[in-house]
Amino acid sequence: MTLDPPPFRVTFSVMYRWIALALSLTLLAACGRGVPDQARVVVAGDSIMAWNRVEGASVADRLEARLGQPVGDVSLSFARVAGGSGPLNIPTQLNGVRADWIVLNGGANDLSAGCDCSACGPVLNRLISDDGQRGAIPALVRDLRGRGARVVWADYYTAPRYAGTGCEAPYEVLEARLTRMAAADPGVTLVDMDDAFTPTDLSLFAGDRTHPSAKGSALIADQILPVLQR
């Protein structure tokens, strides 16, 4: 008996996930990032944090140069807060990690996979409740705080690719909820990249008009640095 092959859509989806995971792990290994034993600062999150790592110009690379001390980096492209497997899940990236400071971001890949800029209420609620106290993000932050870390959450900037579109709305809601979360704990600081980034300055963005250029990664580090030096 001959069995029909699975639909191409399902097969491609599975293949894409495995290719994405393999590519991310390969890049991580090739670039030698991780968590040195003496690192007081560790960066985690998605591609905004990981971008420019190959060139030695990621957010963690810039923070390390400015602080003059080792900075760990476990961030990976495609990573989600409430989904993803292995290191493509941001809480999993931080399993067993202990540091004075954890710098991280997340949520964009959850939103892009779960609602594609519209009807994002359920995805946002899974990430963080309206009062900022429930959901995957507050749970992760509480866990990190319980390990003795202070947390810097880097909120997203507005990228030229999405500026002026309906895709801005879910991120405005996310920012408001993150602000409430940070206000409830003096050990949590929200750094809003929109305070420094403008979508009209294309020098801050890579060719995809979404991720940071090397200059953009340096600017992200510059916004975070004063918090780490308090």
Side-chain angles (χ1 to χ4, degrees):
M1 181 176 65
T2 302
L3 298 177
D4 291 332
F8 174 77
R9 178 166 53 88
V10 174
T11 303
F12 179 81
S13 176
V14 172
M15 288 177 60
Y16 175 82
R17 287 198 298 270
W18 279 106
I19 290 170
L21 177 60
L23 176 61
S24 296
L25 293 175
T26 299
L27 287 175
L28 181 63
C31 297
R33 294 310 304 232
V35 183
D37 290 340
Q38 66 272 39
R40 295 179 57 249
V41 179
V42 175
V43 174
D46 60 28
S47 56
I48 299 300
M49 293 299 189
W51 217 250
N52 301 305
R53 182 185 290 144
V54 173
E55 298 86 354
S58 68
V59 173
D61 290 316
R62 297 295 187 173
L63 285 174
E64 185 169 276
R66 283 156 171 71
L67 290 168
Q69 59 184 258
V71 172
D73 186 5
V74 293
S75 62
L76 279 177
S77 296
F78 306 109
R80 303 185 196 179
V81 179
S85 300
L88 296 183
N89 173 262
I90 294 170
T92 301
Q93 292 175 2
L94 290 162
N95 278 350
V97 173
R98 291 185 179 273
D100 293 342
W101 291 95
I102 304 294
V103 177
L104 74 164
N105 74 336
N109 292 316
D110 300 79
L111 288 166
S112 63
C115 61
D116 193 25
C117 298
S118 62
C120 289
V123 180
L124 285 164
N125 289 336
R126 284 196 296 274
L127 290 172
I128 183 168
S129 60
D130 185 63
D131 64 2
Q133 299 305 302
R134 301 179 307 281
I137 290 175
L140 171 58
V141 170
R142 278 194 299 272
D143 179 45
L144 296 173
R145 294 287 290 131
R147 300 181 213 173
R150 286 172 287 181
V151 175
V152 180
W153 194 280
D155 187 42
Y156 293 107
Y157 50 69
T158 302
R161 182 175 176 181
Y162 301 109
T165 73
C167 286
E168 289 188 80
Y171 290 92
E172 291 170 354
V173 175
L174 179 62
E175 179 186 346
R177 296 182 181 191
L178 290 169
T179 300
R180 296 182 192 111
M181 177 187 72
D185 185 344
V188 179
T189 301
L190 179 69
V191 178
D192 183 4
M193 294 306 156
D194 269 333
D195 290 342
F197 277 74
T198 171
T200 58
D201 184 355
L202 298 183
S203 71
L204 297 174
F205 301 94
D208 63 2
R209 298 169 63 240
T210 300
H211 293 95
S213 63
K215 180 180 176 181
S217 291
L219 184 56
I220 293 172
D222 286 343
Q223 301 310 298
I224 294 167
L225 185 63
V227 182
L228 305 180
Q229 293 176 325
R230 288 177 185 170

